[in-house]
Amino acid sequence: MNCDILTRMKCLLSKVRLVTVMPVAFLSVNTASAANIDFSPSLSISEEVNDNIYEVANNKRKEFITRLQPGLTSRYEAPLWHWDLAYNFDYRRYERNSRSDETTHNLDAKGNFTLVDNRLYLDVSDTYHRVSLDVARNVATESSLFLNQVDQNIATISPYLLWRPGSKSTLKTGYRFVDARYWDSVGIERQEHSVNADLTHEISSKFSLSAGYAFTRLESQPSQHNKHDISGGFRFEYAERSFIYGQIGNSWQHFNVGTDVSYFFWNAGITHDLGVVVASLETRVQDAIDPLAVSTRETSYNGRLEKTLQRGMIGFSTSYTEFVNSQTDQTDQRRLSIGGTARYEIIQSLIANVATTAERFYVSKVSDSPYHLNATGGLSYIFNHDLTFRLNYTYDSKRNSIGNATGAIDTNRIIVEVRKTF
């Protein structure tokens, strides 16, 4: 482990101490306050058979992967402090030595502290996950556990003030610091400092208006930039489980290297309960944290249909997404995706799951296969004492042509898992 990694670990530990020490000080002021605590440790052991561990078209290598994943979930609620935490340690052993044994972590932690009642608050969060080097690809639908991937850690600290300029108006002003790091020396690390003001006015219990401004300073090794965002929007709940919302604004980015850019951004959608199914449409423009670029703009259009069954659910979704390098104003990646999911309880405690995804990539940074097909089917049985047995099969195919399997990279995975929640 080099000195740079040690320095980052010390920095991360200092943030953890900040998150844990500050709440203790606040809780000591009112030790008699009631608190709700939920703490659930778990242990998962699984065995995977993978017939193409390196994801190649020829000369495939089979591998057996043993995984040990101890973890925990925790939730704490008190008058001055609450948090949500989910963590697991992931140890992987490659029995045929295709890869050295490795460890990684999965962390989702967030907390909110009341520093001054009804006025001053503090939000903190930390995430640690393995992500794809290609911002357009999702590791959740990839078959590999390591190819073209990197461990990403994002820590956020955000103090803010709440003001009540009127009986139906709320003004939120605050500061946010975001630190994004990569622990395998691959990826562009960055730090963001931003100040923001967001005003919400409630016209009625179902209709509200909003306006906002944010200034962001981003610093990274390749370049830095300043960004101004101004926006306005609304939200209207017109029926039970049915609502529409919209936000539109403009961003101005000023880079120290390259040209300045200005563009519209938006966030709009509608969810409508049709009785038979619930339909959702949404579109948005947002900043994406891209491991290989300083500033990436993501524009997405998504649609979803979901139906709740008496003993399960079925859903269908489609999306189109563009990723634009804001510094060069060029499209780096485009993705079209179609997917479906289904869950059904065959008998009590025995549940069947199916998920399919088809993706078309028009440009790719780390892969030459524009078509990606992924299908997963599985069974899970819940025994007494929170003991769960799972059996999953996944077929994954990366192709140059959707209708031609020549040169295709096909992978078959079978996973058996036993999980105990204490």
Side-chain angles (χ1 to χ4, degrees), residues 92 94 99 102-106 128-132 139 145-146 149-152 184:
R92 304 165 180 177
Y94 297 83
R99 183 175 173 87
E102 64 177 347
T103 60
T104 186
H105 310 266
N106 291 285
Y128 189 107
H129 294 291
R130 184 159 291 187
V131 300
S132 174
V139 294
L145 298 175
F146 57 88
Q149 297 174 19
V150 65
D151 290 333
Q152 180 189 75
D184 291 336

Side-chain angles (χ1 to χ4, degrees), residues 50 61-64 93-99:
N50 188 314
R61 180 180 176 88
K62 180 183 290 187
E63 183 59 275
F64 299 89
R93 177 177 176 81
Y94 297 83
E95 302 294 343
R96 300 184 67 188
N97 299 316
S98 297
R99 183 175 173 87

Side-chain angles (χ1 to χ4, degrees), residues 194-214:
S194 65
V195 291
N196 55 77
D198 296 289
L199 177 65
T200 301
H201 180 69
E202 189 179 273
I203 304 297
S204 68
S205 60
K206 296 185 177 182
F207 182 51
S208 62
L209 300 175
S210 62
Y213 167 77

Side-chain angles (χ1 to χ4, degrees), residues 168-405:
K168 294 186 177 182
S169 300
T170 302
L171 176 64
K172 178 181 178 180
T173 59
Y175 162 80
R176 187 179 69 165
F177 171 73
V178 180
D179 186 18
R181 295 184 181 271
Y182 300 90
W183 297 94
D184 291 336
S185 71
V186 177
I188 298 176
E189 299 183 340
R190 70 206 68 193
Q191 293 79 42
E192 292 183 18
H193 304 266
S194 65
V195 291
N196 55 77
D198 296 289
L199 177 65
T200 301
H201 180 69
E202 189 179 273
I203 304 297
S204 68
S205 60
K206 296 185 177 182
F207 182 51
S208 62
L209 300 175
S210 62
Y213 167 77
F215 169 78
T216 302
R217 169 68 176 177
L218 185 143
E219 299 176 350
S220 68
Q221 187 61 37
S223 66
Q224 297 82 40
H225 71 256
N226 296 330
K227 184 160 73 79
H228 300 267
D229 296 328
I230 296 178
S231 64
F234 74 95
R235 189 182 191 279
F236 177 50
E237 184 179 350
Y238 58 88
E240 185 178 357
R241 296 203 305 169
S242 300
F243 57 89
I244 185 172
Y245 63 92
Q247 180 191 46
I248 189 169
N250 197 83
S251 283
W252 294 267
Q253 281 185 272
H254 306 281
F255 293 90
N256 68 327
V257 177
T259 60
D260 297 339
V261 295
S262 173
Y263 58 88
F264 284 110
F265 66 88
W266 60 80
N267 181 17
I270 182 172
T271 295
H272 186 73
D273 186 356
L274 300 171
V276 179
V277 297
V278 176
S280 299
L281 295 172
E282 65 177 11
T283 175
R284 68 184 307 175
V285 178
Q286 62 181 343
D287 293 329
I289 298 183
D290 187 344
L292 300 180
V294 174
S295 179
T296 297
R297 186 166 71 250
E298 176 184 346
T299 303
S300 61
Y301 306 87
N302 304 291
R304 180 170 179 80
L305 295 173
E306 186 171 305
K307 178 176 176 58
T308 301
L309 306 174
Q310 185 176 1
R311 302 177 65 176
M313 61 80 64
I314 186 169
F316 171 80
S317 63
T318 182
S319 67
Y320 174 77
T321 310
E322 291 184 350
F323 298 88
V324 176
N325 187 316
S326 299
Q327 195 167 7
T328 61
D329 203 28
Q330 294 181 348
T331 301
D332 280 348
Q333 177 69 278
R334 292 185 294 150
R335 180 189 67 210
L336 176 63
S337 176
I338 300 174
T341 58
R343 184 182 69 253
Y344 186 75
E345 186 177 18
I346 302 172
I347 59 174
Q348 185 177 3
S349 300
L350 180 60
I351 301 172
N353 294 276
V354 177
T356 60
T357 302
E359 298 173 304
R360 168 71 161 98
F361 298 91
Y362 295 89
V363 182
S364 183
K365 296 179 181 179
V366 296
S367 175
D368 295 327
S369 302
Y371 293 95
H372 179 214
L373 306 174
N374 185 280
T376 299
L379 293 171
S380 63
Y381 189 85
I382 304 174
F383 295 90
N384 294 330
H385 310 293
D386 294 320
L387 181 67
T388 303
F389 173 82
R390 292 188 177 92
L391 174 64
N392 285 317
Y393 166 74
T394 299
Y395 169 73
D396 189 274
S397 181
K398 295 179 172 65
R399 303 184 176 191
N400 295 318
S401 174
I402 189 65
N404 189 350

